[in-house]
């Protein structure tokens, strides 16, 4: 049975490369049972979106119709 | 400069004068971005200065398809990568080490691999609300500063610059495996730091 520390490794990895079927399965099973790891997964995902937010904030002054 | 003063002047301003005003307005954000990457005030100031100069010189080549600020931001990204490459050539980077244990991470887990009670991740709420929070960004800044240089560099190239791990490997000269280990550490350290310094303060 996979433990939390290993689960965080896979949560991190899935943001950088495609997980194998086996990896996806183990991670999903662990997340189903572990609240703390589900929240960690949310936190990693939030951090992963931080660059886009930074950039979006730059363009706040641009008229919406000109945004790409 | 406030939004108000820029808007008031809009009608009377030429296009390039208006852009100069926008450069001034966006400069602080560019600077904080450069600082996150270069971890040095003077180097960050230089990179932003060069990017702004380039933006003014190349003004005519801005096609106006996307936001002007985004275009300038793109120029800054190149300048930052240039600066990092120079640093690397000068041998100013410590070798990356992913073999040794990372105490900051081991502290979050028990021997058996479960979370330590005091390290169990809490609920950060809605991302949209989180990102709107000015205090979150201040704490993020502080937590990035607290990261070791090597870890921060890989994290910022990946998550702020948006490079793939393959590109980072080429840029830094490390193996992709090494990169994944470092990113895992960076994310665990950042989440712990953010939770401690931001979430706990927010709920007091």
């Amino acid at each position: 049975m996979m433990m939390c520390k290993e689960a965080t490794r896979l949560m991190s990895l899935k943001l950088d490369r495609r997980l194998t079927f086996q990896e996806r399965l183990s991670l999903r099973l662990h997340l189903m049972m572990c609240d703390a790891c589900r929240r960690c997964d949310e936190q990693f995902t939030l951090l992963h979106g931080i660059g886009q937010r930074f950039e979006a904030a730059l363009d706040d002054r641009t008229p919406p119709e000109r945004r790409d | 400069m406030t939004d108000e003063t820029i808007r008031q002047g809009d009608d009377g301003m030429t296009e390039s004068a208006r852009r100069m005003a926008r450069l001034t307005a966006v400069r602080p954000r560019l600077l904080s971005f450069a600082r996150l990457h270069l971890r040095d005030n003077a180097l960050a100031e230089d990179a932003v200065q060069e990017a702004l100069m380039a933006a003014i010189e190349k003004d005519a080549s801005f096609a106006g398809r996307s936001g002007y600020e985004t275009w300038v931001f793109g120029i800054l990204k190149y300048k930052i990568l240039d600066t990092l490459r120079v640093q690397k050539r000068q041998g100013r980077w410590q070798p990356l080490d992913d073999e040794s244990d990372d105490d900051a991470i081991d502290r979050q887990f028990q021997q058996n691999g479960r979370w330590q009670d005091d390290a169990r991740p809490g609920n950060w709420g809605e991302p949209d609300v989180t990102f709107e929070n000015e205090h979150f960004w201040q704490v993020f800044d502080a937590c990035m500063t607290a990261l070791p240089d090597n870890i921060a560099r890989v994290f910022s190239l990946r998550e702020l610059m948006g490079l793939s791990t393959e590109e980072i490997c080429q840029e830094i000269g490390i193996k992709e495996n090494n990169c994944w280990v470092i990113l895992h550490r960076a994310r665990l350290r950042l989440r712990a730091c953010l939770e401690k310094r931001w979430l706990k303060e927010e709920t007091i």
Side-chain angles (χ1 to χ4, degrees):
Chain A
M1 183 59 221
M2 187 170 60
M3 283 301 156
C4 302
K5 190 173 179 181
E6 170 65 6
T8 66
R9 190 184 70 81
L10 293 180
M11 283 169 215
S12 174
L13 198 56
K14 83 175 153 93
L15 302 172
D16 305 315
R17 74 148 162 85
R18 200 175 152 75
L19 296 184
T20 64
F21 177 74
Q22 188 58 49
E23 287 168 338
R24 276 208 304 282
L25 194 67
S26 335
L27 179 61
R28 191 175 298 176
L29 281 174
H30 184 92
L31 289 179
M32 275 169 62
M33 294 179 302
C34 182
D35 287 349
C37 281
R38 272 203 300 280
R39 286 194 293 269
C40 184
D41 191 41
E42 288 166 10
Q43 295 174 1
F44 280 6
T45 305
L46 180 133
L47 286 172
H48 189 60
I50 213 158
Q52 271 187 333
R53 295 290 179 148
F54 205 100
E55 228 159 304
L58 283 177
D59 250 4
D60 276 353
R61 298 176 22 76
T62 311
E65 70 271 18
R66 282 183 50 194
R67 281 195 205 174
D68 281 347
Chain B
M1 194 180 293
T2 65
D3 286 2
E4 213 45 49
T5 55
I6 295 166
R7 264 191 222 109
Q8 277 170 5
D10 266 5
D11 291 343
M13 277 184 178
T14 63
E15 183 66 16
S16 69
R18 201 174 307 146
R19 284 186 188 157
M20 288 292 276
R22 287 170 71 169
L23 288 182
T24 311
V26 80
R27 191 175 181 280
R29 290 196 72 88
L30 296 179
L31 198 55
S32 61
F33 184 82
R35 226 183 269 132
L36 285 172
H37 285 278
L38 300 171
R39 302 166 74 79
D40 178 288
N41 270 333
L43 284 178
E45 292 269 1
D46 286 351
V48 170
Q49 204 56 39
E50 281 178 34
L52 294 181
M53 295 297 287
I56 293 164
E57 280 166 22
K58 292 190 212 162
D59 193 61
S61 73
F62 169 62
R65 283 188 303 273
S66 66
Y68 181 63
E69 283 77 3
T70 304
W71 178 72
V72 178
F73 194 60
I75 298 175
L76 177 65
K77 284 181 175 177
Y78 276 108
K79 297 287 172 195
I80 290 171
L81 284 175
D82 274 350
T83 308
L84 289 175
R85 284 176 197 138
V86 170
Q87 280 187 326
K88 188 175 171 241
R89 274 203 300 277
Q90 291 171 344
R92 284 163 61 189
W93 289 14
Q94 300 295 315
L96 288 148
D97 172 23
D98 71 350
E99 298 297 324
S100 61
D101 289 338
D102 189 328
D103 290 345
I105 285 164
D106 288 341
R107 270 200 297 276
Q108 295 187 48
F109 297 96
Q110 302 170 29
Q111 282 289 342
N112 63 14
R114 291 177 197 274
W115 292 99
Q116 290 283 5
D117 285 342
D118 61 359
R120 287 172 69 84
N123 186 357
W124 287 7
E126 282 300 308
D128 284 340
V129 180
T130 304
F131 286 125
E132 283 296 311
N133 189 322
E134 200 52 44
H135 187 211
F136 172 82
W137 289 99
Q138 287 164 12
V139 175
F140 175 72
D141 215 80
C143 289
M144 281 293 291
T145 308
L147 283 184
D149 283 348
N150 285 336
I151 294 185
R153 185 177 303 123
V154 175
F155 179 84
S156 56
L157 287 175
R158 175 78 188 107
E159 303 290 47
L160 297 172
M161 196 75 86
L163 299 189
S164 68
T165 46
E166 200 185 342
E167 289 167 324
I168 294 171
C169 295
Q170 286 168 4
E171 207 57 61
I172 299 191
I174 56 173
K175 295 211 170 67
E176 211 166 10
N177 245 328
N178 199 288
C179 204
W180 290 325
V181 171
I182 291 163
L183 285 168
H184 179 215
R185 288 180 180 177
R187 289 172 177 134
L188 278 175
R189 276 174 177 256
L190 277 174
R191 69 140 295 273
C193 177
L194 283 163
E195 186 146 322
K196 199 156 131 201
R197 295 169 76 161
W198 169 66
L199 198 64
K200 303 240 157 92
E201 287 171 40
E202 283 293 300
T203 50
I204 286 170

